[in-house]
């Protein structure tokens, strides 16, 4: 089983290079970061965590710039997103950003994607919130075309381009693993069509993860599972180890006392892993 960290990186948290180095030095395998392009001042979409949106949501770094810094400070750590709001991104730029990061990191990138929860944020990118799933699906299909063809071409309802050259191509073949976030029916359909792996959250019952894997296997799809959002607790690790998931990540909460709180949390994670192991 792989063990990792999922977190926000911001201008008020530990520098991404220092964070990645600390994660790798403790023997962990993965660092996943989230993104928001912005937070609308007038926000109607409720946040699932409560009435007030935490301050770090307003201050997120661009994930690929942050992960590039992390790549230069590490040698084996998997670097990825949980999640990239790919529907909101220009797909040609996204293909180049991820491929460049894969080159810079010598093939250590995983791309976690999802539709996101903030409808106003999506709308500000010119995407009707009710269509963001369909837009994401087309952009995933287009990404694969760009990464795997010297002359890529795509014609859809939301993405449309004649043949293009786009380099670099990723180190990983055929492309960096695409991990699908979310547990809804559309997310599972997306997993079937486009996913190399799944990023369910810790609130997802182990039985549901097993059932979903079995349904995908019946349709000829074998995927990896990385459960996100664990606490540093050996019993929580055991819940998912019992169903043979490939990985888990522990949620590092952004802290005002960034370095000391972060390092303390990472040590708690390694202690929990040792108790589990």
């Amino acid at each position: 089983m792989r063990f990792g960290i999922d977190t926000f990186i911001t201008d008020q948290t530990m520098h991404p290079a220092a964070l990645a180095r600390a994660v790798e030095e403790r023997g962990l395998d993965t660092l996943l970061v989230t993104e928001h392009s912005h937070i609308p001042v007038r926000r109607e979409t409720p946040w699932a965590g409560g009435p007030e949106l935490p301050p770090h949501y307003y201050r997120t770094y661009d994930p690929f710039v942050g992960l590039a810094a992390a790549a230069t400070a590490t040698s084996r750590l998997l670097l990825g997103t949980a999640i990239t709001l790919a529907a909101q991104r220009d797909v040609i730029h996204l293909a180049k950003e991820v491929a460049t990061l894969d080159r810079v990191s010598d093939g250590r990138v995983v791309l976690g994607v999802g539709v996101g929860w903030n409808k106003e944020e999506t709308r500000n990118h010119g995407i009707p919130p009710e269509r963001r799933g369909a837009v994401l699906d087309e952009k995933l299909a287009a990404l694969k075309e760009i990464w795997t063809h010297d002359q890529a071409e795509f014609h859809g309802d939301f993405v449309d381009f004649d043949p293009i050259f786009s380099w670099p191509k990723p180190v990983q073949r055929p492309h960096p693993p695409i991990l699908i976030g979310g547990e809804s029916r559309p997310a599972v359909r997306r997993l079937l069509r486009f996913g190399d792996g799944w990023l369910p959250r810790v609130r997802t019952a182990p039985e549901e993860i097993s059932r979903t894997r079995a349904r995908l296997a019946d349709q000829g799809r074998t995927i990896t599972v990385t459960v996100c959002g664990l606490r540093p607790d050996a019993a929580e690790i055991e819940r998912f180890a019992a169903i043979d998931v490939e990985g888990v990540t522990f949620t590092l909460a952004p802290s005002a006392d960034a370095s000391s709180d972060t390092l303390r949390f990472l040590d708690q994670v390694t202690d929990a892993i040792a108790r589990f192991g």
Side-chain angles (χ1 to χ4, degrees), residues 145-184:
E145 289 296 312
I146 296 170
W147 283 337
T148 59
H149 293 86
D150 285 349
Q151 295 187 36
E153 180 176 3
F154 194 88
H155 301 286
D157 294 328
F158 308 102
V159 179
D160 188 15
F161 53 84
D162 290 332
I164 62 170
F165 295 114
S166 177
W167 279 278
K169 302 300 183 188
V171 171
Q172 298 179 81
R173 292 288 185 264
H175 52 71
I178 294 175
L179 312 181
I180 305 298
E183 302 85 14
S184 66

mmCIF file of all heavy atoms in Angstrom, residues 145-184:
data_model
loop_
_atom_site.group_PDB
_atom_site.id
_atom_site.type_symbol
_atom_site.label_atom_id
_atom_site.label_comp_id
_atom_site.label_asym_id
_atom_site.label_seq_id
_atom_site.Cartn_x
_atom_site.Cartn_y
_atom_site.Cartn_z
ATOM 1 N N GLU A 145 -5.717 12.511 -26.564
ATOM 2 C CA GLU A 145 -5.333 12.684 -27.963
ATOM 3 C C GLU A 145 -4.041 13.488 -28.082
ATOM 4 O O GLU A 145 -3.137 13.141 -28.834
ATOM 5 C CB GLU A 145 -6.462 13.389 -28.727
ATOM 6 C CG GLU A 145 -7.692 12.536 -28.944
ATOM 7 C CD GLU A 145 -7.409 11.330 -29.817
ATOM 8 O OE1 GLU A 145 -6.777 11.491 -30.892
ATOM 9 O OE2 GLU A 145 -7.815 10.219 -29.433
ATOM 10 N N ILE A 146 -3.952 14.589 -27.332
ATOM 11 C CA ILE A 146 -2.765 15.441 -27.408
ATOM 12 C C ILE A 146 -1.527 14.701 -26.924
ATOM 13 O O ILE A 146 -0.445 14.799 -27.508
ATOM 14 C CB ILE A 146 -2.992 16.737 -26.610
ATOM 15 C CG1 ILE A 146 -4.123 17.559 -27.227
ATOM 16 C CG2 ILE A 146 -1.717 17.575 -26.541
ATOM 17 C CD1 ILE A 146 -4.579 18.728 -26.378
ATOM 18 N N TRP A 147 -1.666 13.951 -25.850
ATOM 19 C CA TRP A 147 -0.514 13.266 -25.260
ATOM 20 C C TRP A 147 -0.027 12.095 -26.099
ATOM 21 O O TRP A 147 1.146 11.722 -26.011
ATOM 22 C CB TRP A 147 -0.883 12.751 -23.876
ATOM 23 C CG TRP A 147 -0.896 13.795 -22.811
ATOM 24 C CD1 TRP A 147 -0.236 14.996 -22.805
ATOM 25 C CD2 TRP A 147 -1.595 13.725 -21.560
ATOM 26 N NE1 TRP A 147 -0.486 15.675 -21.642
ATOM 27 C CE2 TRP A 147 -1.316 14.916 -20.863
ATOM 28 C CE3 TRP A 147 -2.428 12.772 -20.974
ATOM 29 C CZ2 TRP A 147 -1.838 15.182 -19.600
ATOM 30 C CZ3 TRP A 147 -2.950 13.030 -19.725
ATOM 31 C CH2 TRP A 147 -2.656 14.227 -19.033
ATOM 32 N N THR A 148 -0.906 11.500 -26.877
ATOM 33 C CA THR A 148 -0.543 10.233 -27.530
ATOM 34 C C THR A 148 -0.392 10.339 -29.039
ATOM 35 O O THR A 148 -0.084 9.326 -29.684
ATOM 36 C CB THR A 148 -1.591 9.146 -27.209
ATOM 37 O OG1 THR A 148 -2.880 9.573 -27.649
ATOM 38 C CG2 THR A 148 -1.639 8.866 -25.714
ATOM 39 N N HIS A 149 -0.570 11.524 -29.617
ATOM 40 C CA HIS A 149 -0.434 11.686 -31.069
ATOM 41 C C HIS A 149 0.474 12.869 -31.385
ATOM 42 O O HIS A 149 0.352 13.931 -30.771
ATOM 43 C CB HIS A 149 -1.800 11.912 -31.728
ATOM 44 C CG HIS A 149 -2.700 10.721 -31.661
ATOM 45 N ND1 HIS A 149 -3.519 10.455 -30.586
ATOM 46 C CD2 HIS A 149 -2.905 9.699 -32.545
ATOM 47 C CE1 HIS A 149 -4.190 9.339 -30.795
ATOM 48 N NE2 HIS A 149 -3.830 8.858 -31.972
ATOM 49 N N ASP A 150 1.365 12.695 -32.368
ATOM 50 C CA ASP A 150 2.197 13.818 -32.804
ATOM 51 C C ASP A 150 1.348 14.907 -33.454
ATOM 52 O O ASP A 150 1.644 16.097 -33.313
ATOM 53 C CB ASP A 150 3.270 13.334 -33.791
ATOM 54 C CG ASP A 150 4.382 12.580 -33.085
ATOM 55 O OD1 ASP A 150 4.422 12.610 -31.833
ATOM 56 O OD2 ASP A 150 5.201 11.962 -33.779
ATOM 57 N N GLN A 151 0.336 14.500 -34.188
ATOM 58 C CA GLN A 151 -0.635 15.450 -34.729
ATOM 59 C C GLN A 151 -1.994 15.101 -34.126
ATOM 60 O O GLN A 151 -2.622 14.119 -34.515
ATOM 61 C CB GLN A 151 -0.684 15.384 -36.262
ATOM 62 C CG GLN A 151 0.607 15.815 -36.926
ATOM 63 C CD GLN A 151 0.479 15.903 -38.440
ATOM 64 O OE1 GLN A 151 -0.561 16.291 -38.977
ATOM 65 N NE2 GLN A 151 1.553 15.553 -39.134
ATOM 66 N N ALA A 152 -2.392 15.899 -33.159
ATOM 67 C CA ALA A 152 -3.626 15.628 -32.427
ATOM 68 C C ALA A 152 -4.763 16.457 -33.002
ATOM 69 O O ALA A 152 -4.586 17.619 -33.371
ATOM 70 C CB ALA A 152 -3.440 15.953 -30.953
ATOM 71 N N GLU A 153 -5.942 15.846 -33.028
ATOM 72 C CA GLU A 153 -7.132 16.521 -33.553
ATOM 73 C C GLU A 153 -8.322 16.104 -32.714
ATOM 74 O O GLU A 153 -8.431 14.947 -32.291
ATOM 75 C CB GLU A 153 -7.347 16.126 -35.018
ATOM 76 C CG GLU A 153 -8.547 16.774 -35.674
ATOM 77 C CD GLU A 153 -8.651 16.422 -37.154
ATOM 78 O OE1 GLU A 153 -7.812 15.629 -37.639
ATOM 79 O OE2 GLU A 153 -9.568 16.939 -37.828
ATOM 80 N N PHE A 154 -9.227 17.064 -32.450
ATOM 81 C CA PHE A 154 -10.404 16.739 -31.649
ATOM 82 C C PHE A 154 -11.562 17.632 -32.057
ATOM 83 O O PHE A 154 -11.402 18.844 -32.221
ATOM 84 C CB PHE A 154 -10.122 16.935 -30.153
ATOM 85 C CG PHE A 154 -11.161 16.300 -29.265
ATOM 86 C CD1 PHE A 154 -11.039 14.980 -28.857
ATOM 87 C CD2 PHE A 154 -12.282 17.014 -28.869
ATOM 88 C CE1 PHE A 154 -12.002 14.387 -28.049
ATOM 89 C CE2 PHE A 154 -13.251 16.437 -28.068
ATOM 90 C CZ PHE A 154 -13.112 15.117 -27.654
ATOM 91 N N HIS A 155 -12.731 17.016 -32.194
ATOM 92 C CA HIS A 155 -13.932 17.769 -32.556
ATOM 93 C C HIS A 155 -15.086 17.293 -31.685
ATOM 94 O O HIS A 155 -15.572 16.170 -31.834
ATOM 95 C CB HIS A 155 -14.261 17.571 -34.043
ATOM 96 C CG HIS A 155 -13.149 18.012 -34.952
ATOM 97 N ND1 HIS A 155 -12.869 19.342 -35.179
ATOM 98 C CD2 HIS A 155 -12.228 17.297 -35.638
ATOM 99 C CE1 HIS A 155 -11.832 19.434 -36.002
ATOM 100 N NE2 HIS A 155 -11.427 18.197 -36.291
ATOM 101 N N GLY A 156 -15.483 18.140 -30.752
ATOM 102 C CA GLY A 156 -16.588 17.815 -29.862
ATOM 103 C C GLY A 156 -17.507 19.003 -29.694
ATOM 104 O O GLY A 156 -17.383 20.016 -30.393
ATOM 105 N N ASP A 157 -18.411 18.890 -28.754
ATOM 106 C CA ASP A 157 -19.349 19.980 -28.502
ATOM 107 C C ASP A 157 -18.704 21.134 -27.751
ATOM 108 O O ASP A 157 -19.109 22.285 -27.903
ATOM 109 C CB ASP A 157 -20.538 19.456 -27.678
ATOM 110 C CG ASP A 157 -21.376 18.445 -28.437
ATOM 111 O OD1 ASP A 157 -21.466 18.560 -29.677
ATOM 112 O OD2 ASP A 157 -21.923 17.528 -27.791
ATOM 113 N N PHE A 158 -17.680 20.839 -26.922
ATOM 114 C CA PHE A 158 -17.060 21.860 -26.086
ATOM 115 C C PHE A 158 -15.587 22.087 -26.404
ATOM 116 O O PHE A 158 -15.036 23.130 -26.080
ATOM 117 C CB PHE A 158 -17.191 21.471 -24.603
ATOM 118 C CG PHE A 158 -18.593 21.132 -24.196
ATOM 119 C CD1 PHE A 158 -18.989 19.807 -24.042
ATOM 120 C CD2 PHE A 158 -19.534 22.122 -23.984
ATOM 121 C CE1 PHE A 158 -20.278 19.485 -23.671
ATOM 122 C CE2 PHE A 158 -20.829 21.813 -23.615
ATOM 123 C CZ PHE A 158 -21.200 20.489 -23.458
ATOM 124 N N VAL A 159 -14.954 21.087 -26.997
ATOM 125 C CA VAL A 159 -13.549 21.162 -27.381
ATOM 126 C C VAL A 159 -13.467 20.893 -28.870
ATOM 127 O O VAL A 159 -13.992 19.880 -29.348
ATOM 128 C CB VAL A 159 -12.698 20.131 -26.611
ATOM 129 C CG1 VAL A 159 -11.239 20.218 -27.047
ATOM 130 C CG2 VAL A 159 -12.824 20.340 -25.112
ATOM 131 N N ASP A 160 -12.813 21.788 -29.600
ATOM 132 C CA ASP A 160 -12.791 21.650 -31.063
ATOM 133 C C ASP A 160 -11.496 22.248 -31.594
ATOM 134 O O ASP A 160 -11.271 23.455 -31.489
ATOM 135 C CB ASP A 160 -14.000 22.375 -31.664
ATOM 136 C CG ASP A 160 -14.151 22.124 -33.157
ATOM 137 O OD1 ASP A 160 -13.510 21.194 -33.675
ATOM 138 O OD2 ASP A 160 -14.908 22.876 -33.802
ATOM 139 N N PHE A 161 -10.619 21.383 -32.102
ATOM 140 C CA PHE A 161 -9.411 21.908 -32.743
ATOM 141 C C PHE A 161 -8.982 20.988 -33.883
ATOM 142 O O PHE A 161 -9.111 19.769 -33.807
ATOM 143 C CB PHE A 161 -8.268 22.117 -31.741
ATOM 144 C CG PHE A 161 -7.903 20.935 -30.888
ATOM 145 C CD1 PHE A 161 -7.034 19.946 -31.351
ATOM 146 C CD2 PHE A 161 -8.388 20.823 -29.590
ATOM 147 C CE1 PHE A 161 -6.686 18.873 -30.547
ATOM 148 C CE2 PHE A 161 -8.047 19.748 -28.779
ATOM 149 C CZ PHE A 161 -7.192 18.760 -29.265
ATOM 150 N N ASP A 162 -8.498 21.621 -34.954
ATOM 151 C CA ASP A 162 -7.917 20.904 -36.085
ATOM 152 C C ASP A 162 -6.543 20.379 -35.676
ATOM 153 O O ASP A 162 -6.057 20.664 -34.580
ATOM 154 C CB ASP A 162 -7.823 21.835 -37.284
ATOM 155 C CG ASP A 162 -9.198 22.163 -37.857
ATOM 156 O OD1 ASP A 162 -10.109 21.320 -37.721
ATOM 157 O OD2 ASP A 162 -9.375 23.272 -38.401
ATOM 158 N N PRO A 163 -5.887 19.586 -36.540
ATOM 159 C CA PRO A 163 -4.618 18.971 -36.143
ATOM 160 C C PRO A 163 -3.603 19.980 -35.596
ATOM 161 O O PRO A 163 -3.409 21.056 -36.161
ATOM 162 C CB PRO A 163 -4.128 18.325 -37.442
ATOM 163 C CG PRO A 163 -5.391 17.990 -38.170
ATOM 164 C CD PRO A 163 -6.314 19.135 -37.877
ATOM 165 N N ILE A 164 -2.985 19.608 -34.465
ATOM 166 C CA ILE A 164 -1.995 20.466 -33.813
ATOM 167 C C ILE A 164 -0.759 19.649 -33.461
ATOM 168 O O ILE A 164 -0.815 18.435 -33.283
ATOM 169 C CB ILE A 164 -2.554 21.113 -32.519
ATOM 170 C CG1 ILE A 164 -2.915 20.035 -31.479
ATOM 171 C CG2 ILE A 164 -3.755 22.000 -32.821
ATOM 172 C CD1 ILE A 164 -3.251 20.583 -30.105
ATOM 173 N N PHE A 165 0.379 20.352 -33.376
ATOM 174 C CA PHE A 165 1.585 19.812 -32.755
ATOM 175 C C PHE A 165 1.626 20.344 -31.328
ATOM 176 O O PHE A 165 1.409 21.535 -31.088
ATOM 177 C CB PHE A 165 2.843 20.275 -33.499
ATOM 178 C CG PHE A 165 2.963 19.767 -34.902
ATOM 179 C CD1 PHE A 165 2.901 20.643 -35.976
ATOM 180 C CD2 PHE A 165 3.159 18.413 -35.152
ATOM 181 C CE1 PHE A 165 3.026 20.188 -37.279
ATOM 182 C CE2 PHE A 165 3.279 17.940 -36.453
ATOM 183 C CZ PHE A 165 3.216 18.833 -37.524
ATOM 184 N N SER A 166 1.921 19.472 -30.387
ATOM 185 C CA SER A 166 2.073 19.910 -28.999
ATOM 186 C C SER A 166 3.087 19.020 -28.303
ATOM 187 O O SER A 166 2.844 17.836 -28.081
ATOM 188 C CB SER A 166 0.730 19.851 -28.253
ATOM 189 O OG SER A 166 0.895 20.207 -26.888
ATOM 190 N N TRP A 167 4.231 19.597 -28.009
ATOM 191 C CA TRP A 167 5.254 18.945 -27.215
ATOM 192 C C TRP A 167 5.543 19.809 -26.001
ATOM 193 O O TRP A 167 5.230 21.011 -26.031
ATOM 194 C CB TRP A 167 6.531 18.751 -28.040
ATOM 195 C CG TRP A 167 6.498 17.552 -28.944
ATOM 196 C CD1 TRP A 167 6.757 16.258 -28.604
ATOM 197 C CD2 TRP A 167 6.185 17.540 -30.343
ATOM 198 N NE1 TRP A 167 6.619 15.432 -29.704
ATOM 199 C CE2 TRP A 167 6.273 16.202 -30.786
ATOM 200 C CE3 TRP A 167 5.849 18.524 -31.273
ATOM 201 C CZ2 TRP A 167 6.037 15.826 -32.097
ATOM 202 C CZ3 TRP A 167 5.607 18.161 -32.569
ATOM 203 C CH2 TRP A 167 5.701 16.823 -32.978
ATOM 204 N N PRO A 168 6.109 19.228 -24.934
ATOM 205 C CA PRO A 168 6.616 17.863 -24.834
ATOM 206 C C PRO A 168 5.493 16.850 -24.656
ATOM 207 O O PRO A 168 4.386 17.210 -24.257
ATOM 208 C CB PRO A 168 7.479 17.906 -23.572
ATOM 209 C CG PRO A 168 6.800 18.924 -22.715
ATOM 210 C CD PRO A 168 6.298 19.963 -23.667
ATOM 211 N N LYS A 169 5.805 15.615 -24.981
ATOM 212 C CA LYS A 169 4.948 14.501 -24.600
ATOM 213 C C LYS A 169 5.383 13.998 -23.219
ATOM 214 O O LYS A 169 6.544 14.138 -22.835
ATOM 215 C CB LYS A 169 5.041 13.357 -25.614
ATOM 216 C CG LYS A 169 4.674 13.759 -27.038
ATOM 217 C CD LYS A 169 3.252 14.281 -27.149
ATOM 218 C CE LYS A 169 2.900 14.594 -28.612
ATOM 219 N NZ LYS A 169 1.594 15.287 -28.715
ATOM 220 N N PRO A 170 4.483 13.415 -22.468
ATOM 221 C CA PRO A 170 4.861 12.928 -21.134
ATOM 222 C C PRO A 170 5.916 11.825 -21.198
ATOM 223 O O PRO A 170 6.037 11.110 -22.201
ATOM 224 C CB PRO A 170 3.542 12.379 -20.577
ATOM 225 C CG PRO A 170 2.462 13.001 -21.404
ATOM 226 C CD PRO A 170 3.053 13.203 -22.759
ATOM 227 N N VAL A 171 6.668 11.700 -20.108
ATOM 228 C CA VAL A 171 7.602 10.580 -19.963
ATOM 229 C C VAL A 171 6.828 9.277 -19.875
ATOM 230 O O VAL A 171 7.181 8.279 -20.520
ATOM 231 C CB VAL A 171 8.470 10.766 -18.696
ATOM 232 C CG1 VAL A 171 9.289 9.511 -18.409
ATOM 233 C CG2 VAL A 171 9.380 11.975 -18.851
ATOM 234 N N GLN A 172 5.768 9.254 -19.078
ATOM 235 C CA GLN A 172 4.997 8.037 -18.854
ATOM 236 C C GLN A 172 4.190 7.692 -20.106
ATOM 237 O O GLN A 172 3.661 8.565 -20.780
ATOM 238 C CB GLN A 172 4.068 8.218 -17.654
ATOM 239 C CG GLN A 172 4.816 8.470 -16.356
ATOM 240 C CD GLN A 172 3.888 8.680 -15.189
ATOM 241 O OE1 GLN A 172 3.384 7.717 -14.599
ATOM 242 N NE2 GLN A 172 3.651 9.942 -14.837
ATOM 243 N N ARG A 173 4.107 6.414 -20.384
ATOM 244 C CA ARG A 173 3.374 5.941 -21.551
ATOM 245 C C ARG A 173 2.213 5.045 -21.116
ATOM 246 O O ARG A 173 2.385 4.212 -20.233
ATOM 247 C CB ARG A 173 4.311 5.163 -22.486
ATOM 248 C CG ARG A 173 5.367 6.044 -23.143
ATOM 249 C CD ARG A 173 4.718 6.950 -24.199
ATOM 250 N NE ARG A 173 5.715 7.724 -24.932
ATOM 251 C CZ ARG A 173 6.079 8.957 -24.652
ATOM 252 N NH1 ARG A 173 5.528 9.556 -23.598
ATOM 253 N NH2 ARG A 173 6.962 9.583 -25.375
ATOM 254 N N PRO A 174 1.039 5.250 -21.737
ATOM 255 C CA PRO A 174 0.803 6.202 -22.815
ATOM 256 C C PRO A 174 0.673 7.643 -22.342
ATOM 257 O O PRO A 174 0.793 8.561 -23.143
ATOM 258 C CB PRO A 174 -0.526 5.713 -23.429
ATOM 259 C CG PRO A 174 -1.230 5.070 -22.273
ATOM 260 C CD PRO A 174 -0.155 4.400 -21.467
ATOM 261 N N HIS A 175 0.468 7.823 -21.030
ATOM 262 C CA HIS A 175 0.350 9.169 -20.456
ATOM 263 C C HIS A 175 0.334 9.025 -18.937
ATOM 264 O O HIS A 175 0.176 7.906 -18.406
ATOM 265 C CB HIS A 175 -0.925 9.872 -20.944
ATOM 266 C CG HIS A 175 -2.171 9.081 -20.776
ATOM 267 N ND1 HIS A 175 -2.741 8.826 -19.541
ATOM 268 C CD2 HIS A 175 -2.975 8.439 -21.684
ATOM 269 C CE1 HIS A 175 -3.836 8.098 -19.685
ATOM 270 N NE2 HIS A 175 -4.000 7.834 -20.978
ATOM 271 N N PRO A 176 0.480 10.114 -18.195
ATOM 272 C CA PRO A 176 0.365 10.017 -16.734
ATOM 273 C C PRO A 176 -0.988 9.444 -16.334
ATOM 274 O O PRO A 176 -2.010 9.704 -16.993
ATOM 275 C CB PRO A 176 0.506 11.479 -16.277
ATOM 276 C CG PRO A 176 1.278 12.134 -17.362
ATOM 277 C CD PRO A 176 0.832 11.471 -18.634
ATOM 278 N N PRO A 177 -1.026 8.667 -15.261
ATOM 279 C CA PRO A 177 -2.310 8.102 -14.810
ATOM 280 C C PRO A 177 -3.330 9.204 -14.531
ATOM 281 O O PRO A 177 -3.021 10.210 -13.896
ATOM 282 C CB PRO A 177 -1.935 7.351 -13.532
ATOM 283 C CG PRO A 177 -0.479 7.049 -13.669
ATOM 284 C CD PRO A 177 0.103 8.199 -14.426
ATOM 285 N N ILE A 178 -4.541 8.991 -15.024
ATOM 286 C CA ILE A 178 -5.662 9.893 -14.752
ATOM 287 C C ILE A 178 -6.500 9.267 -13.645
ATOM 288 O O ILE A 178 -7.007 8.147 -13.793
ATOM 289 C CB ILE A 178 -6.505 10.124 -16.017
ATOM 290 C CG1 ILE A 178 -5.676 10.875 -17.062
ATOM 291 C CG2 ILE A 178 -7.775 10.908 -15.681
ATOM 292 C CD1 ILE A 178 -6.379 11.040 -18.401
ATOM 293 N N LEU A 179 -6.616 9.977 -12.541
ATOM 294 C CA LEU A 179 -7.359 9.494 -11.381
ATOM 295 C C LEU A 179 -8.648 10.299 -11.268
ATOM 296 O O LEU A 179 -8.622 11.532 -11.310
ATOM 297 C CB LEU A 179 -6.532 9.651 -10.107
ATOM 298 C CG LEU A 179 -5.084 9.160 -10.173
ATOM 299 C CD1 LEU A 179 -4.398 9.367 -8.826
ATOM 300 C CD2 LEU A 179 -5.011 7.705 -10.604
ATOM 301 N N ILE A 180 -9.756 9.617 -11.119
ATOM 302 C CA ILE A 180 -11.070 10.262 -11.114
ATOM 303 C C ILE A 180 -11.534 10.454 -9.674
ATOM 304 O O ILE A 180 -11.623 9.503 -8.896
ATOM 305 C CB ILE A 180 -12.108 9.433 -11.889
ATOM 306 C CG1 ILE A 180 -11.610 9.148 -13.313
ATOM 307 C CG2 ILE A 180 -13.450 10.150 -11.905
ATOM 308 C CD1 ILE A 180 -11.386 10.370 -14.168
ATOM 309 N N GLY A 181 -11.850 11.705 -9.323
ATOM 310 C CA GLY A 181 -12.386 12.004 -8.008
ATOM 311 C C GLY A 181 -13.902 11.961 -8.004
ATOM 312 O O GLY A 181 -14.544 12.220 -9.021
ATOM 313 N N GLY A 182 -14.464 11.628 -6.848
ATOM 314 C CA GLY A 182 -15.917 11.621 -6.707
ATOM 315 C C GLY A 182 -16.490 10.227 -6.622
ATOM 316 O O GLY A 182 -15.886 9.252 -7.086
ATOM 317 N N GLU A 183 -17.678 10.158 -6.024
ATOM 318 C CA GLU A 183 -18.339 8.865 -5.818
ATOM 319 C C GLU A 183 -19.716 8.785 -6.470
ATOM 320 O O GLU A 183 -20.404 7.775 -6.347
ATOM 321 C CB GLU A 183 -18.497 8.615 -4.312
ATOM 322 C CG GLU A 183 -17.204 8.621 -3.526
ATOM 323 C CD GLU A 183 -16.767 10.011 -3.098
ATOM 324 O OE1 GLU A 183 -17.596 10.949 -3.178
ATOM 325 O OE2 GLU A 183 -15.608 10.165 -2.681
ATOM 326 N N SER A 184 -20.125 9.840 -7.180
ATOM 327 C CA SER A 184 -21.447 9.864 -7.794
ATOM 328 C C SER A 184 -21.511 8.913 -8.987
ATOM 329 O O SER A 184 -20.484 8.409 -9.466
ATOM 330 C CB SER A 184 -21.773 11.282 -8.279
ATOM 331 O OG SER A 184 -20.892 11.649 -9.331
#
